[in-house]
Amino acid sequence: MCGIFGYIGQDSAPSIIHKGLKRLEYRGYDSWGISIIDKDKIRTIKDVGHLPEEIAQKKLFSTIGIGHTRWATHGGITVTNAHPHFSKDRSFVIAQNGIVENYLELKEELESKEYEFETNVDTEVIVKLVEEGIKKGINLRNSLISAFKQLEGRNTVIVLDLKDKRILAIRNGSPLILGIKKDEIFLASDPLAFNQFTTEIVEVNNGELIEIEKGKFKIFDIDNNKYIDRESKIEKLLDIDIDKGKYAHYMLKEIVQQQHTILKATEYTEKELKPLIKQLNNAENIYTIGAGTAGFSADQIAYYLRKISKKSAISIKSYETESYLDLITSKDVVIVLSQSGETADTLEAIELFKEKGAYIASVINMPGSTLSRISDIFFMSKAGSEICVASTKVFTSQISFGYLISKTLIGEFNEAKKELSSLSSNLESYFTKERFKDIENIANKLVNKEHFFILGKGQNFHIAQEGALKIKEISYKHFEGFAAGELKHGVIALIEKGSPVISIISNDMNRKDMISATYEVKARGALTIGIGDMDFENEKCFDYFIDVAKTEELKAISNVIPFQLISYFLAKALGNNIDKPRNLAKSVTVK
Ligand code: G6P
């Protein structure tokens, strides 16, 4: 979702901001804007749609500016609504990430004071509130603080100030991070935006104001205006590789990387896991939580904790915590799954659970994220940057970590490591051109179908759900994942001649049920596809079969991979934008 970028240094700001915004594209956006200070003027270019590969830089020279990618919430996708927004006297511009939840009340109040609005975006309210402060004789910096304090919701604002040739920013909820280089400062929603320029970062916390002037930054606490010495806390970023390599799309690259990332995510030693294991052993209740794909990771990890570790673990969706809140106590452990560490629903849930005193253990992929700072303990997924909006490698990294934890709880840390490394080498030989061709051929047969059903049971139930999510995200086709047991209770009414049904089948206690379920839909004319262990390749109930990489205990991982590949090839056949599907954002930083 919305991305913020700011730069002050020696180089061409328009070009650096353009590069920074390009790297924020993966978060999802529908319009963009860049403002720079050119001599005695702020110049702004903005447009709807995607940022062009080049911007007309000839007319723009500057070493200071800000940029924004907007994901529309309040107000349609128009050039006027795109950020940054000018003050009336054109002495400053503001861009914002987040949603001003009390926008209407503030707008009405300002309108009653004769302020006129040109747009229907909430950001304009912030501009007017700052102008109101200035009108009262308060300087821009302090007017910004006082305006910001009136905003409800998770917001981060960035201001380009013409008079003092500086950038100001305040953070509350929506992510913000500083990049530091000799005489240059970068400010962005995430470090991917500037890591081609610098790998030194400074974290920014909620309730902090950043002032950047002439290549130097200062941080203040907005509650008491006190200077915070953060310069001493410069950190180094982990390697971030955003090269597509030999792949046409990030998605395919990220799918293939899973052979390594499941090992990276679990390269922790038993000693490093010990604090979490101790907490889990002493916990009264264990909860797992996440949203979207991370929500299905949470489901799968709770499954492992129950099935392998015999712990009573409950999975919660980040946006449905209401009924659990009164149950959570300081004796509980919450395992949080989040690629970005910035998902608004997840952060809000964790803040509430923290108030109840629960121990928060997070599994995060993005360095420097908010979640890492509010957790009692966090583990990095180390999957490297995941650029495709549809999550693939981070999902399997998260569940690999959950599996390792579950096995460690029963004293089988070494066995888990062995299983992970055996799957990793089996995956290496799984990703062949021939296999890709076979899966592409099956995907091509599905192009004209609209409604699809995926059935799973036991260790494959949540994989049916994640598989369906993966395919609908990029193909825009209607896929639904169900527990096979649900079939007779309603789903079967939807099956007609030619309905595609995918059954996930492993050589486990549920295999017979999966075969019967598949025969039941076949008898009603369904086109049946099996995904699973090779042993079932010749089962008569399947019209097509996709075998998976061999593993004893990590079938959830090997079984999800064909779904990722079907999703990729189906979207390719349909001509969809694979890495940036319509309407979706990678990092859902607003509620
Ligand atoms: C969005 C993304 C998903 C992701 C979910 C949660 O919906 O498109 O890929 O699973 O947000 O994000 P998180 O960063 O918390 O894992």
Side-chain angles (χ1 to χ4, degrees):
M1 275 180 172
C2 300
I4 278 181
F5 194 89
Y7 173 75
I8 298 190
Q10 320 275 342
D11 227 323
S12 159
S15 151
I16 288 180
I17 296 167
H18 176 261
K19 288 192 179 109
L21 292 184
K22 273 273 161 207
R23 284 184 161 220
L24 288 173
E25 280 188 320
Y26 83 104
R27 297 166 67 88
Y29 72 112
D30 37 49
S31 58
W32 58 274
I34 296 176
S35 292
I36 49 110
I37 296 182
D38 182 6
K39 293 185 200 92
D40 52 355
K41 260 199 189 112
I42 295 180
R43 289 186 190 275
T44 295
I45 45 170
K46 24 178 169 173
D47 210 345
V48 295
H50 278 177
L51 189 63
E53 289 312 312
E54 304 269 332
I55 46 164
Q57 285 178 38
K58 274 190 207 123
K59 288 189 209 124
L60 299 167
F61 184 76
S62 173
T63 54
I64 166 169
I66 65 172
H68 188 263
T69 48
R70 173 174 187 249
W71 200 85
T73 50
H74 287 288
I77 305 163
T78 64
V79 179
T80 322
N81 287 349
H83 303 206
H85 292 274
F86 267 105
S87 63
K88 203 164 179 193
D89 65 0
R90 300 182 87 79
S91 66
F92 67 89
V93 282
I94 291 188
Q96 169 220 1
N97 275 8
I99 293 181
V100 180
E101 286 170 10
N102 54 339
Y103 147 77
L104 283 177
E105 292 101 286
L106 292 171
K107 189 173 179 184
E108 271 168 30
E109 212 178 300
L110 286 159
E111 276 171 337
S112 72
K113 292 179 188 162
E114 320 271 275
Y115 280 94
E116 281 170 23
F117 284 79
E118 281 165 29
T119 72
N120 43 7
V121 289
D122 47 356
T123 319
E124 207 184 350
V125 160
I126 312 174
V127 176
K128 305 280 188 244
L129 286 174
V130 176
E131 286 177 337
E132 164 100 334
I134 294 173
K135 218 160 105 190
K136 287 185 190 152
I138 307 169
N139 63 29
L140 172 66
R141 176 193 182 277
N142 293 341
S143 298
L144 177 67
I145 296 177
S146 105
F148 193 82
K149 286 182 176 169
Q150 296 177 59
L151 311 179
E152 283 173 18
R154 294 175 177 273
N155 286 286
T156 288
V157 293
I158 182 166
V159 179
L160 181 64
D161 170 20
L162 177 64
K163 190 167 137 270
D164 291 328
K165 306 226 171 349
R166 61 182 174 167
I167 293 173
L168 302 170
I170 306 185
R171 170 191 178 152
N172 174 30
S174 284
L176 196 65
I177 193 154
L178 281 165
I180 312 294
K181 205 176 164 187
K182 189 171 176 291
D183 302 326
E184 285 178 293
I185 306 282
F186 304 82
L187 185 66
S189 302
D190 72 48
L192 286 186
F194 56 66
N195 90 297
Q196 76 268 47
F197 304 115
T198 182
T199 51
E200 315 253 280
I201 52 163
V202 173
E203 292 179 350
V204 180
N205 296 324
N206 286 344
E208 291 180 348
L209 166 83
I210 321 294
E211 276 184 34
I212 315 173
E213 234 170 314
K214 296 191 197 91
K216 294 265 170 284
F217 74 90
K218 283 187 190 149
I219 303 184
F220 297 88
D221 182 330
I222 62 165
D223 282 334
N224 51 26
N225 226 340
K226 274 205 183 127
Y227 169 74
I228 301 169
D229 177 18
R230 189 75 50 73
E231 275 196 70
S232 49
K233 282 190 78 185
I234 294 179
E235 287 177 41
K236 205 109 188 105
L237 275 180
L238 297 175
D239 274 353
I240 300 180
D241 165 25
I242 73 146
D243 196 2
K244 243 186 246 168
K246 60 179 183 186
Y247 299 97
H249 299 93
Y250 284 112
M251 185 177 192
L252 193 56
K253 175 188 169 189
E254 289 161 8
I255 291 173
V256 174
Q257 280 181 324
Q258 291 175 108
Q259 55 188 290
H260 307 299
T261 49
I262 59 167
L263 291 185
K264 280 255 155 218
T266 51
E267 68 186 7
Y268 292 99
T269 61
E270 210 170 351
K271 195 168 162 218
E272 287 167 323
L273 299 180
K274 212 171 168 188
L276 174 58
I277 296 296
K278 194 174 158 212
Q279 290 288 337
L280 290 169
N281 272 326
N282 295 333
E284 198 149 272
N285 296 297
I286 302 174
Y287 296 94
T288 59
I289 186 166
T293 290
F296 292 128
S297 296
D299 291 337
Q300 191 67 29
I301 293 172
Y303 171 89
Y304 285 147
L305 287 165
R306 293 190 300 266
K307 179 88 184 175
I308 300 173
S309 329
K310 315 293 174 219
K311 295 274 180 199
S312 127
I314 299 170
S315 173
I316 313 179
K317 301 293 172 191
S318 307
Y319 39 80
E320 277 301 336
T321 54
E322 188 193 305
S323 62
Y324 298 94
L325 264 181
D326 288 340
L327 307 178
I328 310 255
T329 73
S330 58
K331 293 183 183 137
D332 299 336
V333 175
V334 182
I335 301 179
V336 196
L337 291 313
S338 179
Q339 188 283 129
S340 62
E342 302 292 353
T343 300
D345 285 318
T346 306
L347 290 178
E348 189 173 290
I350 297 316
E351 280 158 11
L352 295 170
F353 292 175
K354 262 177 86 81
E355 279 173 25
K356 301 275 176 180
Y359 180 85
I360 310 294
S362 302
V363 185
I364 307 161
N365 193 48
M366 187 63 86
S369 58
T370 309
L371 188 56
S372 64
R373 273 170 278 156
I374 63 172
S375 303
D376 293 296
I377 192 168
F378 72 90
F379 297 88
M380 293 304 293
S381 294
K382 301 182 210 160
S385 46
E386 189 181 66
I387 305 285
C388 177
V389 167
S391 179
T392 52
K393 62 176 177 175
V394 172
F395 175 71
T396 51
S397 292
Q398 289 165 338
I399 61 177
S400 300
F401 182 81
Y403 167 75
L404 178 66
I405 290 293
S406 308
K407 292 285 276 186
T408 308
L409 277 165
I410 55 161
E412 293 188 6
F413 173 85
N414 292 330
E415 288 79 351
K417 288 268 181 156
K418 251 188 236 150
E419 184 66 8
L420 283 155
S421 99
S422 134
L423 175 58
S424 161
S425 51
N426 291 340
L427 280 176
E428 215 170 311
S429 44
Y430 185 77
F431 294 122
T432 61
K433 275 197 185 129
E434 296 68 44
R435 182 162 281 102
F436 286 175
K437 198 76 229 141
D438 290 348
I439 297 181
E440 185 166 15
N441 286 340
I442 293 180
N444 287 344
K445 294 193 176 27
L446 306 177
V447 167
N448 297 319
K449 306 272 182 189
E450 281 312 317
H451 304 283
F452 299 77
F453 308 94
I454 305 177
L455 304 175
K457 191 170 166 77
Q459 60 181 330
N460 295 319
F461 165 39
H462 302 300
I463 299 309
Q465 295 174 304
E466 166 58 14
L469 173 64
K470 211 49 38 209
I471 311 181
K472 71 180 118 179
E473 279 177 309
I474 320 191
S475 71
Y476 317 140
K477 297 269 185 190
H478 175 215
F479 271 77
E480 288 302 332
F482 299 96
E486 202 56 42
L487 187 66
K488 292 195 193 69
H489 302 286
V491 185
I492 203 156
L494 301 171
I495 307 296
E496 51 189 26
K497 195 163 183 298
S499 300
V501 178
I502 307 180
S503 305
I504 313 177
I505 183 154
S506 297
N507 203 351
D508 62 13
M509 62 190 292
N510 297 315
R511 62 188 186 279
K512 284 192 184 141
D513 288 348
M514 287 310 302
I515 290 175
S516 320
T518 311
Y519 272 119
E520 278 168 40
V521 291
K522 195 175 170 68
R524 284 153 184 89
L527 170 81
T528 57
I529 301 169
I531 287 183
D533 292 337
M534 186 94 110
D535 324 32
F536 304 100
E537 198 174 26
N538 297 320
E539 271 300 331
K540 297 237 167 6
C541 58
F542 300 121
D543 296 318
Y544 300 100
F545 194 84
I546 303 172
D547 65 341
V548 300
K550 210 168 157 16
T551 164
E552 281 307 312
E553 291 195 325
L554 286 163
K555 311 259 190 214
I557 296 181
S558 54
N559 287 341
V560 82
I561 287 169
F563 288 101
Q564 300 171 342
L565 288 166
I566 292 175
S567 170
Y568 177 79
F569 288 117
L570 192 52
K572 189 171 158 223
L574 291 161
N576 295 350
N577 189 340
I578 294 178
D579 289 327
K580 284 180 231 143
R582 72 180 182 207
N583 302 341
L584 294 177
K586 179 83 182 156
S587 191
V588 184
T589 50
V590 296
K591 292 212 306 157

